[in-house]
Amino acid sequence: MMKILITGFEPFGGEKINPAWEAVNSLPSKIDDIDIFKLQLPTVFRASGLKLFEAIDLLKPDVVICVGQAGGRFDFCVERIAINIDDGRIPDNNGHQPIDETIFKDGENAYFSTLPIKAIVEEVKKAGIPASVSNTAGTYVCNHIMYSLLYYITKNKLNIRGGFIHVPYIAQQVIGKKNTPFMELSTLTKALEISIRATRDHCVDIKVSGGKEC
Ligand code: PCA
């Protein structure tokens, strides 16, 4: 039996909902032979990481997938890399806005996702849902949590695969906003289910191009 811990963030930046949490919360508690544990994280530097570490220690999952909103992005974005820097465009939900601060002084400059990112993208696209590999998770709380997760796994030599997925706005968030991409909530939930199955089915990633020019 495989255990997956999947997280979504609280709303932030003036939004009333966070599609990441809405989609995570809509997942069933079991997918095939996989037990799904859902956790909402505060959109707050540091506190989000501490809450995640506690849940990892308690649950001892095989896989951790963190999910966040990336308003303005068109597709379901599977992140490749997290970097050791906090640089907030806006304050977090506790009013804290770090600028160019190192996340962990004894951490690497960056960590790569250990999810099968290419396999996830291919499987999600096969279901008719736009998806791609993203090469930056930004420098806000989402990059912070992805970095913290991979730092914690590495430092404690945990046998856990982990990574991060960014999702676009959902329909109700773009009412009155012009030229803003969105997906249906049910599409995001389906893409997460596919990502979970792809992670179970691919311990080693597939070799297909996910490259982009800048
Ligand atoms: N998205 C933000 C933080 C919380 C969220 O859902 C980000 O991309 O950093």
Side-chain angles (χ1 to χ4, degrees):
M1 187 70 81
M2 184 168 180
K3 260 195 242 175
I4 292 201
L5 171 62
I6 183 158
T7 73
F9 280 105
E10 288 170 344
F12 69 101
E15 293 292 330
K16 292 204 171 56
I17 60 158
N18 190 320
W21 172 246
E22 299 299 322
V24 165
N25 202 29
S26 308
L27 287 168
S29 55
K30 216 168 163 59
I31 296 176
D32 309 332
D33 55 341
I34 311 163
D35 280 325
I36 312 291
F37 296 87
K38 308 166 203 172
L39 177 71
Q40 191 180 40
L41 294 176
T43 304
V44 174
F45 292 101
R46 293 285 164 208
S48 52
L50 296 177
K51 189 164 177 187
L52 180 65
F53 299 162
E54 256 178 40
I56 290 173
D57 291 347
L58 197 73
L59 284 168
K60 308 202 182 330
D62 303 290
V63 172
V64 180
I65 302 177
C66 299
V67 188
Q69 162 190 303
R73 288 206 193 169
F74 283 85
D75 55 3
F76 185 83
C77 291
V78 186
E79 297 295 345
R80 189 195 297 260
I81 191 165
I83 60 175
N84 195 4
I85 204 88
D86 284 338
D87 190 2
R89 177 182 59 83
I90 52 172
D92 67 16
N93 285 359
N94 266 358
H96 180 53
Q97 186 173 10
I99 295 176
D100 295 345
E101 283 178 21
T102 300
I103 302 174
F104 284 104
K105 296 260 180 294
D106 62 343
E108 299 290 341
N109 285 334
Y111 293 104
F112 288 109
S113 173
T114 50
L115 299 177
I117 58 171
K118 302 284 181 74
I120 293 173
V121 167
E122 290 309 303
E123 293 294 323
V124 172
K125 287 196 296 191
K126 256 190 234 163
I129 302 168
S132 63
V133 169
S134 161
N135 295 307
T136 175
T139 53
Y140 193 50
V141 184
C142 288
N143 172 75
H144 181 96
I145 204 71
M146 180 177 175
Y147 184 89
S148 301
L149 166 65
L150 296 167
Y151 166 89
Y152 196 70
I153 290 171
T154 308
K155 281 283 160 191
N156 295 298
K157 299 187 172 60
L158 303 176
N159 187 19
I160 297 177
R161 290 184 293 153
F164 192 92
I165 296 173
H166 259 128
V167 299
Y169 285 134
I170 54 174
Q172 70 195 83
Q173 292 179 283
V174 302
I175 295 170
K177 288 182 188 149
K178 282 216 164 81
N179 298 322
T180 310
F182 67 94
M183 279 185 181
E184 292 301 327
L185 174 58
S186 57
T187 307
L188 291 183
T189 308
K190 188 171 165 201
L192 288 180
E193 286 195 34
I194 294 168
S195 305
I196 288 168
R197 287 201 177 94
T199 301
R200 175 200 55 198
D201 296 342
H202 296 269
C203 285
V204 178
D205 205 357
I206 57 171
K207 199 139 184 114
V208 292
S209 169
K212 284 177 189 157
E213 289 80 42
C214 56

